[in-house]
Amino acid sequence: MRRRQLIYYRDLLWELVVRDLKLLYKRSLLGVAWTLLNPLLQLVVFSFVFRAILRGLNIEHYISYAFSGILIWTWTQTALFHATGLITGNRPLIRQPGFPVAILPIVTVTTGLIHFLLALPALCIFLFIEQVQLSTSLFLFPIAVILQFLLTLSLAYPLAALNVTFRDTQHTLGVLLQLLFYLLPIFYTIDQVPAAFRTYYRWNPLVILIDTYRAVLIDGQFPQWTALFGLIILCALLLPIGYQIFKHQSARFVEEV
């Protein structure tokens, strides 16, 4: 019975992810190509702003550095933003008896993961062009992906539940995510953050995550183990808390929507 349930949830997850992808690119001429075009356009604009206008950036393998940051951030940003509208935007599913509502945030984060993976070949091309030497630390890349999935899902659960009661959540989150984009080391390095704030800056789990990705992908080094273990513990704590908040609020979803 348990195996049949797992197969059911797996098939349901896949069907919902495919549905999300079809809805996302419905009547779009370029379709899934936006997965690559969006981060590339951001890369062009922000590279021009940070390197040509603001100057002062002297980062080795800069295109790979900035593009990797955009891909990592885009996955989490879009998943969290879409998570806030999951319950209110899926009324027919929510009202369907027996539907496992908790699968919806997983669908959103998985859809972001697929976009992330589809854009990875472009990053590989940049790594090749900039002659980045890969090393054995690359085997930690899947761990970084898993941690990002768990961290994003941990935040998606409470945000999806919160927006049912407080509809301002989605708008507020949009502003906060936009501000957070500039506070993350996507186009600049952690060392360029003023020394007085650097210690606190490194506590941001997304900073640790981005730093871990770049250590194994671009620097060919192992990440800072203390920070990585701290991130693992944080994910292990946040995910059950986020899920419990969602589960507690889910009893009111049908009434609220």
Side-chain angles (χ1 to χ4, degrees):
M1 183 65 180
R2 193 169 181 177
R3 185 170 177 271
R4 292 176 63 184
Q5 277 185 329
L6 287 174
I7 293 173
Y8 166 72
Y9 287 133
R10 183 201 64 187
D11 293 343
L12 180 61
L13 175 64
W14 177 247
E15 289 296 326
L16 291 172
V17 168
V18 171
R19 185 202 64 159
D20 270 10
L21 289 171
K22 286 180 178 176
L23 286 174
L24 190 61
Y25 298 115
K26 187 179 180 182
R27 298 183 180 178
S28 169
L29 287 176
L30 297 176
V32 75
W34 283 111
T35 299
L36 192 56
L37 283 174
N38 186 34
L40 282 176
L41 290 173
Q42 288 186 62
L43 178 67
V44 171
V45 172
F46 285 106
S47 292
F48 174 74
V49 171
F50 280 87
R51 300 198 81 178
I53 299 178
L54 298 179
R55 300 179 184 276
L57 288 175
N58 185 23
I59 302 173
E60 193 176 12
H61 312 306
Y62 186 74
I63 300 300
S64 300
Y65 182 92
F67 192 69
S68 62
I70 292 172
L71 291 188
I72 299 161
W73 169 243
T74 301
W75 175 10
T76 295
Q77 179 199 31
T78 52
L80 293 183
F81 187 74
H82 288 154
T84 53
L86 276 178
I87 308 303
T88 53
N90 285 286
R91 288 183 178 85
L93 291 177
I94 302 300
R95 291 174 175 171
Q96 188 173 321
F99 179 78
V101 184
I103 202 171
L104 290 176
I106 301 176
V107 171
T108 298
V109 180
T110 304
T111 303
L113 169 63
I114 290 173
H115 285 127
F116 177 79
L117 295 177
L118 287 173
L120 270 186
L123 176 60
C124 293
I125 292 172
F126 290 139
L127 292 172
F128 176 77
I129 292 172
E130 294 189 316
Q131 299 182 340
V132 174
Q133 298 295 320
L134 301 178
S135 76
T136 54
S137 63
L138 193 62
F139 79 89
L140 287 174
F141 177 77
I143 294 178
V145 174
I146 293 170
L147 286 176
Q148 184 172 3
F149 188 96
L150 296 177
L151 179 64
T152 307
L153 185 61
S154 304
L155 300 174
Y157 269 125
L159 286 171
L162 191 63
N163 192 59
V164 175
T165 307
F166 303 102
R167 301 299 168 89
D168 288 336
T169 302
Q170 192 170 38
H171 305 293
T172 307
L173 182 69
V175 175
L176 291 177
L177 288 174
Q178 192 172 16
L179 295 176
L180 187 57
F181 172 80
Y182 294 101
L183 290 174
L184 292 173
I186 295 174
F187 290 94
Y188 54 86
T189 67
I190 297 175
D191 293 336
Q192 290 173 300
V193 175
F197 303 105
R198 206 172 298 157
T199 301
Y200 305 105
Y201 187 82
R202 289 181 182 276
W203 288 356
N204 186 332
L206 284 172
V207 172
I208 298 172
L209 191 65
I210 292 172
D211 201 35
T212 299
Y213 270 111
R214 284 174 173 155
V216 301
L217 276 176
I218 301 173
D219 300 332
Q221 299 174 353
F222 289 100
Q224 293 186 9
W225 293 111
T226 306
L228 185 60
F229 283 126
L231 184 59
I232 293 171
I233 292 171
L234 182 68
C235 290
L237 292 174
L238 278 183
L239 185 56
I241 293 173
Y243 175 72
Q244 286 302 323
I245 293 173
F246 182 88
K247 188 178 176 184
H248 178 72
Q249 295 293 323
S250 62
R252 302 170 50 195
F253 287 168
V254 175
E255 299 173 14
E256 297 286 345
V257 301

